C-alpha cells in the first residue's frame, strides 16, 4: 500500500484581505520573506526574477499544458506548440501591425476627444475599456455590435475565474463560442465575399496537412480576445494613473513624445497589467531551496519578478536606461507574447493622442483609485480630472 502524501503547509493566503488590498505591496514582501511559496489556491508561487526566468526557459520541466481545455498555443509545449505558434505569428507580422496604425490612431483620437473636460471621470470605463474593445474588434474585423456583449463576457469570465467556479466558467466559455461561431459561419456563408480580415484568414489556415478545426480557431480567438481586452484595459488605467500621480514625468512626455515607448514599458514593469501565469512541473525539481514534486501547479508572479531589486534596484523608479531584455512585461522564451508589437503600437498611439489632446491629467482630491484584484492587474475604477 502506497503512503498518502503529506499535505504541504501553506506559506501564505493569496486571497486574504491584506494581500488583495494591495497586491503589489504584498508580493514585494513575499519576494523578501518567502520567494518560493506554497498556497492551496495557487500551488507554488515564484516571486523572484531569476526563478521565473528559469521556469520560462525550461519548458521541459515547467510545462504550459495546465488546462484540460484546448488552449492554442499558450497551453501547449513543443513539439505540438511549434507549428501553431508559427501559424499565429504570421498574423502579427510587422507589415500588418504597421498598417493598423492609422485605424488605431483614428479610434484613439475619437475616444480622447469625447472625454469630458474639467469634471471627474472614471478613466477605466470612459477610456480604457472602450479603447480595448474597439481596438480588438477593429484588428480582428469584428462588428461594433459585439462591443458591449464582449465587455460583459470578459467581466463575467474574470469573476468566475476568481471564484474558481468551474460550472460558470464552462457556461461562459460556451457563450463565447457562440459569438465566435456566428462570426465564422457568416464568413463561411459569404465565401469569396467574406471580409478580408484576421478572422477570415484563420478559416484558410492549415496545420500540418489539414485545415484548422472550428475548435482550434475558437481557442485562438478566445485567447486573443481575453488577453487583449483584459491587459489593454489594465495598461491604459495604469498609465493614466501613473501620469496623474507624477506630473513632472507627464510634462516631460508631453514635451518629447519619442520617450513614450520606453516610458510605457517601464511604467508597466513597475505596475504590471498581468499578475501571473501558470505552469505545471513534469518532474521533481528544486527551486529556491524548495523541493517541488512532479505534477505540482506553478504560478509565475510577473507582478513580483518585474520588481525584483536584485535586477532593477529601486523597483518604483522610472528609468529610461534599463536593459529591455530583463523586462518580462510580454513574457519570455517560446511563449513570449506574439502580439507584443501590436500592443506596444496600440498603447503608444493612444498615449500620444491622450497627451496631445489634453493639457493635464490630474488625480481627483480625496478620491481613491480602486485596485483590481487577482488575477487582474491595474484598476477597477480610476477617478481622474482631464483638462
Amino acid at each position: 500500500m502506497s503512503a498518502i502524501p503529506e499535505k504541504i503547509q501553506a506559506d501564505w493566503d493569496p486571497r486574504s484581505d491584506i494581500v488583495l488590498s494591495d497586491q503589489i505591496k504584498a508580493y514585494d514582501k513575499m519576494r523578501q520573506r518567502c520567494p518560493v511559496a506554497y498556497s492551496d489556491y495557487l500551488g507554488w508561487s515564484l516571486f523572484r526574477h531569476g526563478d521565473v526566468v528559469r521556469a520560462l526557459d525550461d519548458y521541459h520541466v515547467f510545462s504550459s499544458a495546465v488546462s484540460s481545455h484546448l488552449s492554442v498555443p499558450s497551453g501547449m509545449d513543443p513539439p505540438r506548440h511549434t507549428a501553431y505558434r508559427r501559424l499565429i505569428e504570421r498574423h502579427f507580422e510587422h507589415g500588418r501591425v504597421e498598417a493598423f496604425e492609422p485605424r488605431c490612431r483614428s479610434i484613439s483620437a475619437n475616444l480622447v476627444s469625447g472625454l469630458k473636460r474639467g469634471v471627474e471621470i472614471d478613466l477605466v470605463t470612459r477610456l480604457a475599456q472602450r479603447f480595448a474593445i474597439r481596438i480588438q474588434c477593429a484588428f480582428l474585423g469584428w462588428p461594433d455590435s459585439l462591443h458591449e456583449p464582449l465587455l460583459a463576457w470578459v467581466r463575467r469570465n474574470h469573476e468566475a475565474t476568481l471564484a474558481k467556479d468551474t460550472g460558470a466558467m464552462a457556461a461562459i466559455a460556451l457563450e463565447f463560442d457562440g459569438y465566435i461561431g456566428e462570426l465564422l459561419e457568416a464568413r463561411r456563408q459569404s465565401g469569396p465575399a467574406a471580409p478580408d480580415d484576421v478572422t477570415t484568414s484563420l478559416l484558410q489556415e492549415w496545420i500540418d496537412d489539414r485545415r484548422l478545426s472550428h475548435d482550434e480557431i475558437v481557442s485562438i480567438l478566445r485567447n486573443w480576445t481575453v488577453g487583449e481586452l483584459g491587459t489593454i484595459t489594465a495598461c491604459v488605467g495604469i498609465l493614466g494613473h501613473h501620469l496623474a500621480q507624477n506630473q513632472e514625468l507627464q510634462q516631460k512626455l508631453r514635451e518629447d513624445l519619442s520617450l513614450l515607448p520606453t516610458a510605457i514599458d517601464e511604467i508597466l514593469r513597475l505596475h504590471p497589467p498581468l499578475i501571473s501565469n501558470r505552469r505545471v512541473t513534469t518532474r521533481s525539481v528544486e527551486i529556491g531551496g524548495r523541493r517541488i514534486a512532479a505534477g505540482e501547479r506553478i504560478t509565475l508572479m510577473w507582478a513580483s519578478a518585474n520588481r525584483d531589486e536584485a535586477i532593477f534596484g529601486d523597483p518604483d523608479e522610472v528609468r529610461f536606461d534599463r536593459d529591455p531584455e530583463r523586462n518580462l512585461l510580454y513574457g519570455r522564451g517560446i511563449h513570449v507574447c506574439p502580439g507584443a508589437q501590436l500592443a506596444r503600437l496600440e498603447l503608444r498611439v493612444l498615449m500620444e493622442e491622450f497627451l496631445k489632446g489634453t493639457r493635464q491629467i490630474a488625480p481627483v482630491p480625496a478620491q481613491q483609485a480602486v485596485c483590481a484584484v487577482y488575477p487582474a492587474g491595474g484598476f477597477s475604477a480610476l477617478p481622474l480630472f482631464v483638462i
Side-chain angles (χ1 to χ4, degrees):
M1 181 181 295
S2 60
I4 298 174
E6 184 178 345
K7 181 176 174 58
I8 305 172
Q9 286 292 107
D11 298 302
W12 70 310
D13 181 2
R15 291 186 288 184
S16 69
D17 291 340
I18 193 168
V19 170
L20 295 181
S21 66
D22 191 337
Q23 293 183 96
I24 293 175
K25 181 179 179 181
Y27 301 154
D28 283 348
K29 289 183 177 179
M30 287 300 298
R31 188 172 60 252
Q32 302 299 325
R33 181 177 72 82
C34 188
V36 180
Y38 182 80
S39 68
D40 292 334
Y41 182 52
L42 297 180
W44 292 95
S45 296
L46 309 184
F47 290 92
R48 290 187 298 210
H49 188 278
D51 293 336
V52 170
V53 166
R54 175 183 169 186
L56 292 172
D57 288 348
D58 191 354
Y59 57 82
H60 297 288
V61 175
F62 299 93
S63 168
S64 294
V66 297
S67 175
S68 59
H69 301 289
L70 180 66
S71 181
V72 182
S74 56
M76 298 174 172
D77 298 320
R80 190 181 182 209
H81 164 272
T82 307
Y84 287 101
R85 174 72 187 211
R86 199 157 41 229
L87 178 155
I88 284 170
E89 286 177 344
R90 292 200 295 269
H91 295 278
F92 295 98
E93 289 176 343
H94 180 77
R96 171 170 277 175
V97 171
E98 290 299 308
F100 185 61
E101 180 167 345
R103 183 77 184 279
C104 180
R105 193 168 297 280
S106 174
I107 292 170
S108 301
N110 179 267
L111 287 171
V112 169
S113 67
L115 294 175
K116 292 183 178 180
R117 301 304 202 266
V119 298
E120 178 184 334
I121 66 167
D122 177 9
L123 197 75
V124 173
T125 57
R126 303 304 299 177
L127 180 62
Q129 290 178 348
R130 296 183 182 192
F131 176 73
I133 287 285
R134 293 186 187 185
I135 214 71
Q136 175 71 353
C137 287
F139 185 75
L140 294 177
W142 294 358
D144 293 351
S145 60
L146 271 181
H147 290 177
E148 290 304 318
L150 279 178
L151 184 57
W153 183 89
V154 169
R155 288 171 175 164
R156 292 196 300 275
N157 188 57
H158 169 70
E159 291 168 358
T161 302
L162 179 62
K164 286 202 165 182
D165 186 337
T166 55
M169 291 166 67
I172 290 166
L174 284 176
E175 180 185 341
F176 183 89
D177 292 359
Y179 293 139
I180 303 309
E182 291 177 5
L183 290 167
L184 296 176
E185 184 57 29
R187 284 162 168 75
R188 291 188 182 102
Q189 294 293 330
S190 297
D196 182 16
D197 56 33
V198 172
T199 302
T200 298
S201 67
L202 285 174
L203 290 169
Q204 313 303 321
E205 289 284 5
W206 290 67
I207 190 75
D208 299 326
D209 58 351
R210 61 171 179 82
R211 288 198 184 277
L212 282 178
S213 71
H214 176 82
D215 289 346
E216 288 168 334
I217 296 173
V218 169
S219 176
I220 291 168
L221 292 173
R222 185 191 300 119
N223 284 341
W224 286 352
T225 303
V226 176
E228 182 81 355
L229 297 184
T231 54
I232 291 295
T233 295
C235 286
V236 175
I238 291 165
L239 294 169
H241 177 264
H242 191 91
L243 294 184
Q245 297 293 329
N246 296 271
Q247 293 291 314
E248 183 177 342
L249 176 60
Q250 182 183 148
Q251 186 57 38
K252 182 176 183 177
L253 295 175
R254 287 181 182 279
E255 294 171 358
D256 187 356
L257 293 175
S258 70
L259 296 174
L260 266 173
T262 302
I264 289 170
D265 276 13
E266 178 69 350
I267 292 168
L268 297 178
R269 176 199 60 76
L270 62 91
H271 189 154
L274 182 64
I275 298 297
S276 67
N277 200 243
R278 298 184 297 161
R279 296 291 190 272
V280 63
T281 51
T282 61
R283 61 172 176 79
S284 176
V285 63
E286 183 175 316
I287 189 165
R290 307 293 295 268
R291 173 58 60 177
I292 302 174
E296 290 287 321
R297 292 174 297 140
I298 305 293
T299 304
L300 310 180
M301 303 300 292
W302 309 115
S304 171
N306 251 357
R307 295 175 52 81
D308 192 335
E309 297 84 354
I311 303 298
F312 301 105
D314 180 356
D316 290 308
E317 181 185 6
V318 174
R319 288 175 46 184
F320 292 84
D321 62 346
R322 295 192 191 276
D323 179 359
E325 294 299 317
R326 294 186 166 189
N327 191 337
L328 302 177
L329 174 61
Y330 293 101
R332 173 186 168 115
I334 64 169
H335 288 288
V336 67
C337 177
Q341 183 189 357
L342 175 64
R344 285 187 167 107
L345 179 142
E346 291 170 350
L347 294 172
R348 171 182 61 80
V349 169
L350 176 64
M351 295 311 295
E352 285 175 354
E353 295 301 319
F354 198 16
L355 292 175
K356 290 191 298 184
T358 62
R359 290 186 288 110
Q360 186 182 23
I361 305 160
V364 178
Q367 290 282 357
Q368 294 292 321
V370 179
C371 292
V373 296
Y374 189 92
F379 301 94
S380 297
L382 181 57
L384 292 179
F385 282 126
V386 177
I387 300 169

